[in-house]
Amino acid sequence: MTIMKGRAVRATATAAMLAVFGAPLAAEELFYVSGAVGNAVENFKTLVKPWEEATGNTVTLVPMPASTTDQFGQYRLWLAAGASDIDLYQTDVIWAPQLADHFVDLTEAAKDLAPQHFPSIIESQTVNGKLVALPIFTDAPALYYRKDLLDKYGKSPPKTWAELAETAKMIQDAERAEGKADLWGFVWQGNAYEGLTCNALEWVKSFGGGQIVEPDGTISINNENAVAALEAAKSWVGTISPDGVLAYQEEEARGVWQTGNAVFMRNWPYAYGLGNGDDSAVKGLFGVTTLPVGKEGDTSAATLGGWNVAVSKYSTKQEAAISLALYLAGPEAQKQRAIAESNLPTIISLYDDADIAAAQPIIPQWKDVFLNAVPRPSAPTLGKYNEVSAKFWSAVHSTLSGEGSAAENLELLEVDLTDLKGSGW
Ligand code: GLC
């Protein structure tokens, strides 16, 4: 038996990848647009290297703003203009119904790969039978907590939002008295953008207040439990959360947390690996658990997030772009991303992968959380989702800022959404 070494192993790997991804006639240079959060841009070069080597093509990442709302606005303009200089778009899980017409149907190309993914995630990217984008990772947030601080004060991770507020305040006051002047109890995403829709949906749903617009299209947001949820969140601003939280997105919250200045944080799994990085002040000091509930007996709610790769209909390099999409959504890239970025894979078998479990224990631990996560109402509201979400996050942001009570703002929101719905979504 011969043992293959170095070049021979690489040649064999390349041959195998060529069989999977196909050999293009001439080397292509592709452009991939994606939001820049965490270490995603930094890792991208490493992530795509095996595909570049196997195919001879190259890919340039065009980094976009971190906010999914800003990305959506920009992409919609480019796509409406039929921009041909961008070949692939990294797309949020909520965008499929709104952007479907601009992307290539990947059903045929992904016929062997799609069955390896969780069916519900493939389903979320399928619009009228067209596979609009291929999932590259899924998302469901965690409550990050400082184990060392909870231990020091004999506290457990909170089960209810009221308990969270109480523990956060107690530890914040005690630590400040010991000179930790910059410590805050709880950081999250309160900016007026899609991320606030995610946070507020979690409060509302876990208080038993529904999911804004129900799967059957009914507008449910104007109810007592939703009012109670928003009033609770308002009480955090300026007490356990800085006033500045009303301008925070994911990265601002992570900044406060990772410098050791928060007891609790709501964030997505990408913050887990970075929090345990060598340059992190909280390395090894924190745990993760599910988000709290309104009252005992209620169910915790995590908003379902996630990202996909779509091939532009206007790309002039579609064959190479489809090959890259298959690679990025495939097991090799998803494993690399899981280990390097602590992103949750969408390929079922990777939840039993020992390397992933060892590098990022949150991943196997989070399988049930994302499988039970609450979707935003993008499926029932179709092309109007972005407006629904914008109206919701505005009503929430006003409430948190003290512009009108939760009851007043949700009543107005209901009127607005009813108008927007008209005779049907
Ligand atoms: C995360 C989620 C995405 C969501 C966004 C909101 O990136 O994966 O689905 O829209 O956060 O900020």
Side-chain angles (χ1 to χ4, degrees), residues 68 92-94 137 139 193-195 198 250 268 304-307 376:
T68 181
D92 200 331
V93 67
I94 49 181
F137 69 94
D139 240 353
Y193 79 125
E194 184 64 29
C198 298
E250 284 79 1
W268 306 93
L304 181 65
W307 290 85
R376 283 160 276 173

Side-chain angles (χ1 to χ4, degrees), residues 217-228:
T218 313
I219 299 162
S220 64
I221 188 61
N222 187 18
N223 69 73
E224 275 174 17
N225 291 337
V227 168

